[in-house]
Amino acid sequence: GDTVDGVIMRIDRDEILVDIGSKSEGVVQSREMQSLTSEDRAALKPGDELLVFVVQSEDREGRAVLSVDKARQEKSWRRLQQVHEAGETIEAKVINYNKGGLLVNLDGVRGFVPASQVSSIGRGTETQKQSDMARLVNTHLTLKIIEINRTRNRLILSERQAMQELREGRKGELLSSLKEGDIRSGVVTSVCDFGAFIDIGGADGLVHLSEISWSRVKHPNEVLKVGDKVQVYI
């Protein structure tokens, strides 16, 4: 159960012999270092430090049974716990998806992002959702941890919450820098009877119906639609 820094003594084709202190030797078999890429393994040499997890303190030959995979996973869980407690965001690669959402990898720990917590996954048909999720495989997402449970091997994340916090931070910066008379670029986010809301990079502003056009407009949707890029005067 311990995670320790060992020193590589010898590298064989299918195992690595590691000195873990107190005159103890341990062995990492190939099945316990699958998280190492072929480049990672090629770069290892005797004398290098290697973080290992003690699976068994002694086998029949009197050597400790060690794991690189479990050590990396343990280190990652500890880091994720710190990120969660600090309320920070984290970046992760999408490795796959299932019916309910995306699967991400965080240094050996598998996390799940429900489809409802990803802003770029539409709320249309199931086929459309699956298509949106397939498109996100191999991309990187900024995420916020919403649930972490080491004993149950459970890690749930949200891209929406991470984006919302990023947006809130930008909103404060934006509002303090805005001046009347500024002209800004924006994107139409919604259209209603009395006007249109425009995102100017972190905050939504209202363009009143009377400010949409010099000519008479009965409804904003005669001129604007969601997603239009526009110039606005503050």
Side-chain angles (χ1 to χ4, degrees):
D2 286 345
T3 302
V4 295
D5 280 309
V7 176
I8 296 173
M9 297 173 69
R10 193 178 73 238
I11 300 172
D12 296 330
R13 196 167 62 84
D14 55 358
E15 65 179 35
I16 298 175
L17 192 68
V18 182
D19 176 0
I20 53 170
S22 308
K23 297 178 183 174
S24 298
E25 286 177 6
V27 65
V28 182
Q29 293 175 333
S30 54
R31 67 171 181 270
E32 291 293 347
M33 47 179 159
Q34 290 177 15
S35 61
L36 295 177
T37 63
S38 50
E39 290 83 6
D40 289 339
R41 286 183 69 165
L44 296 175
K45 58 187 186 299
D48 284 354
E49 275 201 354
L50 186 66
L51 187 72
V52 290
F53 178 91
V54 182
V55 179
Q56 192 181 328
S57 56
E58 204 172 301
D59 64 6
R60 274 183 246 173
E61 295 171 41
R63 303 181 304 180
V65 178
L66 309 172
S67 170
V68 168
D69 297 343
K70 287 187 175 69
R72 292 181 91 172
Q73 202 175 48
E74 186 63 35
K75 189 178 179 183
S76 187
W77 274 112
R78 290 177 190 176
R79 181 171 145 265
L80 290 166
Q81 189 66 48
Q82 288 170 347
V83 166
H84 179 52
E85 286 167 8
E88 296 167 349
T89 58
I90 195 164
E91 194 170 280
K93 184 180 180 180
V94 180
I95 53 169
N96 210 334
Y97 66 97
N98 57 29
K99 193 177 178 185
L102 303 172
L103 301 170
V104 296
N105 179 39
L106 287 147
D107 292 332
V109 173
R110 208 174 196 190
F112 180 67
V113 189
S116 61
Q117 295 296 323
V118 184
S119 52
S120 58
I121 295 176
R123 306 203 172 187
T125 62
E126 195 56 44
T127 309
Q128 182 60 48
K129 275 187 187 175
Q130 295 294 308
S131 170
D132 287 344
M133 289 195 279
R135 195 168 34 80
L136 289 167
V137 173
N138 290 324
T139 64
H140 286 79
L141 296 178
T142 301
L143 303 164
K144 183 85 188 279
I145 297 168
I146 52 179
E147 188 184 338
I148 182 168
N149 188 321
R150 174 73 182 93
T151 51
R152 291 177 62 196
N153 217 25
R154 186 174 166 86
L155 180 68
I156 312 291
L157 307 108
S158 168
E159 187 255 0
R160 280 187 185 276
Q161 282 194 26
M163 289 300 101
Q164 190 178 344
E165 289 191 7
L166 190 64
R167 191 174 162 80
E168 288 297 322
R170 283 184 186 159
K171 185 176 178 179
E173 289 172 26
L174 179 70
L175 293 175
S176 62
S177 70
L178 285 179
K179 298 189 300 293
E180 287 179 19
D182 282 355
I183 293 175
R184 296 278 178 137
S185 296
V187 178
V188 178
T189 55
S190 65
V191 177
C192 51
D193 292 343
F194 55 84
F197 287 95
I198 318 290
D199 179 0
I200 54 169
D204 279 6
L206 171 68
V207 177
H208 191 266
L209 178 63
S210 61
E211 296 290 341
I212 287 175
S213 173
W214 291 108
S215 55
R216 185 169 168 76
V217 177
K218 287 183 180 175
H219 195 280
N221 62 16
E222 293 173 20
V223 182
L224 299 170
K225 63 181 188 296
V226 172
D228 281 354
K229 290 180 180 175
V230 292
Q231 294 278 95
V232 289
Y233 175 92
I234 295 164

